[in-house]
């Protein structure tokens, strides 16, 4: 479409992700902030994926010393899937950095299923956002983090509030 052609070389998804705030995700954003550990955050992202997106699926894949937070877009044109993938992985990283300030290995790498967009500089455009190596043309779009982060306690974790918000989120 004309919109796809117009935004092929721009970084719309990452520009939008840069502005994300916890309240932007509604009940899910509040729930993520109340989690006790980073493992709880990832479990909630997978469990309540439908509140994040109805066009894609979030899954976790474990490797030696790493966990991949994968998101697969199941709708739209190739340009739309690219922007949606960049947006969702971008908000994963922005949110994780809000919840885990000071973590220097967050993320270890970013993988995109789409190819490097024409007219972009991976070092300037993608590395400046993610602050880690970014790979294109991969089997999955994913954020790669150290598995050791799963046990990291979050400073705003609140078990009672998390339980209340989980019940509310289940109703949604």
């Amino acid at each position: 479409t004309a919109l796809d052609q117009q935004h092929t070389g721009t970084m719309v998804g990452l520009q939008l992700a840069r502005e994300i705030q916890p309240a932007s995700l509604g009940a899910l954003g509040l729930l993520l902030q109340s989690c006790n550990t980073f493992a709880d955050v990832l479990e909630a992202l997978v469990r309540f994926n439908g509140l994040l997106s109805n066009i894609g699926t979030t899954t976790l894949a474990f490797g030696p010393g790493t966990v991949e937070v994968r998101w697969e877009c199941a709708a739209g044109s190739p340009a739309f899937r690219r922007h949606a993938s960049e947006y969702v992985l971008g908000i994963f990283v922005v949110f994780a950095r809000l919840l885990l300030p000071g973590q220097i290995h967050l993320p270890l790498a970013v993988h995109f299923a789409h190819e490097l967009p024409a007219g972009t500089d991976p070092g300037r455009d993608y590395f400046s956002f993610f602050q880690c190596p970014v790979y294109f043309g991969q089997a999955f779009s994913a954020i790669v983090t150290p598995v050791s982060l799963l046990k990291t306690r979050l400073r705003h974790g609140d078990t009672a509030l998390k339980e209340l918000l989980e019940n509310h989120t289940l109703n949604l």
Side-chain angles (χ1 to χ4, degrees):
T1 68
L3 182 62
D4 290 339
Q5 292 171 352
Q6 179 182 358
H7 293 289
T8 298
T10 62
M11 301 180 65
V12 174
L14 294 183
Q15 292 167 1
L16 292 172
R18 187 173 274 118
E19 304 302 320
I20 198 75
Q21 293 294 316
S24 304
L25 300 181
L28 180 59
L30 295 172
L31 173 61
L32 297 178
Q33 291 179 93
S34 70
C35 289
N36 291 307
T37 66
F38 193 58
D40 293 340
V41 169
L42 297 183
E43 186 272 331
L45 281 172
V46 171
R47 185 174 177 200
F48 299 109
N49 179 80
L51 293 177
L52 175 66
S53 162
N54 64 356
I55 61 164
T57 305
T58 305
T59 58
L60 302 179
F62 293 86
T66 63
V67 60
E68 291 182 0
V69 182
R70 295 178 178 176
W71 190 76
E72 183 176 2
C73 186
S77 69
F80 175 82
R81 288 192 304 273
R82 174 197 149 209
H83 293 302
S85 295
E86 290 180 3
Y87 172 71
V88 171
L89 294 189
I91 65 170
F92 285 172
V93 170
V94 168
F95 222 90
R97 287 180 177 151
L98 287 171
L99 296 173
L100 297 166
Q103 289 291 332
I104 59 172
H105 299 297
L106 183 63
L108 294 172
V110 175
H111 296 181
F112 285 115
H114 61 268
E115 296 297 329
L116 175 65
T120 59
D121 175 347
R124 188 192 74 216
D125 298 333
Y126 288 91
F127 184 84
S128 67
F129 182 90
F130 291 108
Q131 298 295 302
C132 68
V134 179
Y135 303 97
F136 296 88
Q138 303 298 302
F140 299 96
S141 292
I143 300 297
V144 182
T145 66
V147 75
S148 60
L149 282 182
L150 295 178
K151 295 179 182 177
T152 303
R153 299 213 42 89
L154 304 180
R155 60 185 173 165
H156 296 112
D158 184 324
T159 303
L161 181 59
K162 179 179 179 273
E163 185 177 318
L164 178 71
L165 289 166
E166 277 181 336
N167 289 332
H168 174 65
T169 305
L170 281 170
N171 290 329
L172 293 175

